[in-house]
Structures are given as C-alpha cells and as structure tokens.
Amino acid sequence: MGVEESLEQATSDASLRHALEVSNKIEQKIAEDPSEFRVLTGDRPTGNLHLGHYFGSLRNRVTLQRRGVETWLVIADFQVITDRDGTGPLTERVHSLATDYLAVGLDPEKSVIFTHSAIPALNELMLPFLSVVTDSELYRNPTVKAEHEATGGRPMSGLLLTYPVHQAADILFCKANLVPVGKDQLPHLEQARVIADRFEARYGHPAGTDEPVFPRPQALLSGGASILGLDGQKMSKSRGNTIELKMTADETAKRLKKAVTDSERHITYDPENRPEVSNLVLMTAFALDRDPVELAEEIGDGGSGTLKKMATEALNEMLAPIRARRAELEADPGYIEGIIKRGNEIANERANETLREVRAAMNMNY
C-alpha cells in the first residue's frame, strides 16, 4: 500500500469511527425522544425485494417505525434509468415494492411512501444543488464509481454522474435528518451534508428567518448484515441468486436445495474461509434469532443437507406471515395504488413548501 493509499485508508477509518460515535448517540436520543427525527430511506424498483433487502434494511425500518420515528420511503423510479436503456415493467415493480413494504410490517399510517418521479419540486432541487458541487467531486464519489463499475464499463450517463445529487434531493426535500445506511453509503450522505452546507453559505436563509432551509442529515449506521447470494456471490436481482419475499415456500425450498456449499461435511461458521456455508448459517440464524456460531456447532457433522433443511424450515416459517399479508394486499391492487397516491400528495405538499423556501433564499420570488 502506497503513502497516498495509507492516508486515504486512515482518513476512511477515522470517518467510520466518528460515524459510529454519532450513530450510537442518535440511538440513545431515539430512545429518549423519537419525535426529533425524520428518516428518509428507500429503494430502486429494479426487481422484486429479497432476503438481502429484508435482513439488510427492511427489518430495521420496521423497528425504527415501531420506536416512533417518522418514516419517509422513496420509491426511486427515476434512478432506474441511471444505468439502463429503459424502464422495464416499471409500474408492476413500483406496486410490488410498495406491497413488500406493507407486507413486512411498515404502517402506511405512519409512513409516507412516494415515487420521486411524481414530485416535480423534488426534482427541481437538482438545479440549485448542482450549482454547489463540482464535476471532480462527482467523478470521485465512491457511489458513482461503484455504480459505474457495475455497468461493465459502458459510458457513464449524466444521470449516473449526478446520482449523489439526486439522492441528496430525495433526502433534503422532506428535511429528513436521519438516513439509515451501511458504511459503504457514508460518502453519498456526506455529499448531501455538503450540499446543505454550501447552499446555506451561498444563498443564506429565507427572509425573516434565522433557520437554514435544510438540516444536516446524519447517518444511522445499519446493524443489518450483508447477505450473500445462494451462489456465494453478491446477492443481486440480476444474478438470480436471491430468495425473493414474494416467492412461495416451494420455490424457496428449490432455491435453497441448489445453494452452493463446499466439500467439507462438518459445518462451521467461518465467513472468511467458508463464505457459502457461513452465509446459509447466518440466514438461518437470523430467521431463528440465534447466534450463528452456536447454530453451526449444533449442526456439526449433520453436513450441508441438514443445514439446508434447517434453513428451508426457518426461512419459510419466518416468511409465512409476510407472504400471507402480501397475498391479501395483492388481492386489492386499488389499495396499493391509493397508498402511493396519498404518499405522493403528502410528498408534493412538502416539496412545494421546501421549494418556496429555496426560492426565497435565492431571491427568486417573482
């Protein structure tokens, strides 16, 4: 590792430690008074949600909501075309995403579920936001780099380059002050904070107020684990290595039966040296709310057959009430459409008010 790489790593480690400290303090504040916080989170509707989403973020969202934190969920439909030539069956996927949100336990009376393409004022914020960032900042943003690498080297679109700015608009339009993220997503949240700070420094406050237009959103580091796909690679909708929340019990069993393991019979939990086996152990442990090391020791010489059988039973039992609720929701598509329509109305009202404040700060009230 060279000197520059060492310095960059040291800076990254220091930033992560600071983020952990802040996140821990926020957890304490939520316990004391959840009304202080508004969370913004969401997903791109590029396919059906799967266990990676559930263990990585969805369960945590439900927990935050039950703790009393106001929750805004963006279905990021415009961001589908950042790295694609078309939208695909977008209406179906948007409805499926909203259905999954409700099926896992998110309460539509306590959440605002909206599609950001339906919020014109949110997207108009891209213009003033782009005026306070530089192209070099965007090119070196880790989120942009990662997304571009995932496209296989195709030319970068302007929308992909400005992806972090669009995410900042999603966060700041509703004045969210808390965003659940993994450590890899910290840079994009930092970009939102930079935009909020620079907007205030350049344009000031709306006349007659001392308050900045935008809060500085903080990261709530997710405790959700990163789950691999059934082939040992990154869990991805496009790889077909997932267990989708909408799959039947039989479909789940078939997928798990084909899951990659290794040639060693004795089951251990060793993510570094036995990632495929350990991944199955971890998913099973999560489903059973057990320690993965103890679970692996219990299976021991039972081998991959016993592990897959236990995983199938545990995951299907955990998913059963979600699937039952999903079936009820799918039988009433008008209800899902109504939830999205209501969320879009609330989001538009909030976005229009924020845009009025932005125009006032920029002396554009005419």
Side-chain angles (χ1 to χ4, degrees):
M1 184 180 291
V3 174
E4 290 187 4
E5 290 177 327
S6 298
L7 289 172
E8 187 176 314
Q9 183 63 48
T11 301
S12 176
D13 291 344
S15 297
L16 179 57
R17 285 195 297 271
H18 175 69
L20 280 168
E21 291 173 4
V22 172
S23 184
N24 289 335
K25 290 178 181 178
I26 289 172
E27 287 281 3
Q28 295 173 5
K29 289 184 178 179
I30 289 174
E32 295 167 2
D33 184 8
S35 66
E36 290 185 30
F37 300 99
R38 174 178 291 164
V39 160
L40 185 284
T41 185
D43 302 273
R44 290 201 303 170
T46 54
N48 297 315
L49 295 185
H50 51 66
L51 282 180
H53 297 113
Y54 183 70
F55 289 132
S57 61
L58 293 173
R59 287 204 307 185
N60 187 47
R61 295 176 195 177
V62 174
T63 298
L64 282 171
Q65 187 178 85
R66 287 174 178 167
R67 294 174 69 185
V69 178
E70 182 183 343
T71 304
W72 288 55
L73 294 155
V74 57
I75 299 178
D77 50 348
F78 261 154
Q79 289 176 4
V80 169
I81 56 173
T82 56
D83 54 0
R84 296 161 191 251
D85 295 325
T87 59
L90 193 54
T91 299
E92 175 187 328
R93 287 174 175 172
V94 166
H95 289 172
S96 177
L97 195 58
T99 302
D100 281 333
Y101 285 165
L102 302 188
V104 300
L106 288 164
D107 186 344
E109 297 301 317
K110 299 177 181 177
S111 296
V112 180
I113 300 173
F114 66 98
T115 55
H116 70 186
S117 69
I119 319 300
L122 180 164
N123 292 288
E124 190 173 332
L125 289 176
M126 285 281 285
L127 293 173
F129 284 3
L130 284 168
S131 76
V132 298
V133 298
T134 66
D135 63 335
S136 60
E137 286 174 325
L138 295 175
Y139 276 114
R140 65 173 180 260
N141 184 285
T143 303
V144 171
K145 287 182 179 180
E147 292 291 336
H148 186 228
E149 288 172 1
T151 67
R154 66 181 291 172
M156 186 185 298
S157 71
L159 189 57
L160 177 53
L161 179 62
T162 56
Y163 189 56
V165 183
H166 211 169
Q167 289 178 318
D170 290 338
I171 296 166
L172 296 175
F173 95 95
C174 65
K175 303 199 175 183
N177 58 2
L178 192 58
V179 183
V181 294
K183 64 180 182 179
D184 293 341
Q185 298 165 303
L186 286 172
H188 99 69
L189 186 57
E190 179 59 29
Q191 184 72 74
R193 282 196 291 268
V194 166
I195 287 172
D197 289 343
R198 288 181 184 169
F199 182 90
E200 182 181 5
R202 180 172 297 184
Y203 299 113
H205 306 155
T209 176
D210 294 326
E211 292 295 320
V213 176
F214 302 109
R216 298 186 81 252
Q218 298 296 329
L220 183 65
L221 284 171
S222 173
S226 178
I227 302 295
L228 297 175
L230 300 178
D231 57 359
Q233 304 300 311
K234 180 180 179 182
M235 188 170 279
S236 169
K237 303 164 188 172
S238 61
R239 288 181 182 271
N241 62 359
T242 67
I243 293 176
E244 298 172 358
L245 300 185
K246 67 179 295 184
M247 283 180 173
T248 66
D250 286 343
E251 288 171 332
T252 299
K254 289 178 181 177
R255 287 273 176 114
L256 286 167
K257 189 175 182 179
K258 296 179 181 179
V260 174
T261 53
D262 58 35
S263 59
E264 187 176 338
R265 179 173 178 80
H266 188 82
I267 300 300
T268 58
Y269 182 66
D270 184 357
E272 184 174 347
N273 297 308
R274 304 184 70 188
E276 298 92 350
V277 166
S278 297
N279 190 57
L280 281 178
V281 171
L282 185 61
M283 286 196 291
T284 308
F286 275 146
L288 296 172
D289 195 22
R290 292 188 57 184
D291 178 79
V293 175
E294 292 180 0
L295 184 63
E297 290 175 351
E298 179 181 312
I299 297 171
D301 289 331
S304 62
T306 300
L307 172 58
K308 289 181 178 182
K309 182 175 183 294
M310 185 177 288
T312 301
E313 292 174 352
L315 291 170
N316 275 332
E317 184 175 349
M318 181 196 75
L319 290 171
I322 295 173
R323 289 163 172 162
R325 176 58 177 151
R326 204 181 196 289
E328 293 175 1
L329 293 165
E330 286 181 317
D332 188 2
Y335 177 70
I336 297 297
E337 292 170 3
I339 293 297
I340 296 172
K341 180 180 178 182
R342 172 179 170 273
N344 286 343
E345 289 172 352
I346 295 171
N348 269 306
E349 184 177 347
R350 174 69 268 176
N352 289 335
E353 177 57 33
T354 298
L355 189 58
R356 280 193 287 270
E357 294 176 27
V358 166
R359 288 174 172 161
M362 298 176 73
N363 295 314
M364 288 184 171
N365 280 338
Y366 38 75

